[in-house]
Amino acid sequence: MDEQLLAYDRGRADGIAGCRDHAGSTHPDTGADYRMGFLDGRIEVFHLLAAARRIVDEADGGPLR
């Protein structure tokens, strides 16, 4: 179980950084955990960027201004 959690954590960190580890994603025992962590990391980045866009839009008076 610890190996799966570590693989998920590595995948999440790589997802946030935006660089996938091919060996980690294709590992026969922990590859799925790594890929799920990677996806969660990318989703977190998406949410952060969306929040930044909302802040900028509100400061500018809305989109397209």
Side-chain angles (χ1 to χ4, degrees):
M1 181 58 127
D2 289 336
E3 292 175 5
Q4 288 86 2
L5 291 173
L6 289 173
Y8 174 86
D9 187 52
R10 281 191 309 270
R12 185 175 169 276
D14 287 351
I16 291 171
C19 58
R20 182 183 290 211
D21 176 23
H22 180 71
S25 65
T26 59
H27 190 276
D29 295 328
T30 59
D33 301 299
Y34 176 90
R35 290 188 302 274
M36 188 56 113
F38 185 86
L39 178 61
D40 286 347
R42 295 309 301 158
I43 291 171
E44 187 172 338
V45 168
F46 175 81
H47 286 290
L48 289 171
L49 291 173
R53 278 190 207 104
R54 280 192 302 272
I55 291 169
V56 169
D57 284 346
E58 289 172 5
D60 289 342
L64 304 176
R65 283 192 178 194

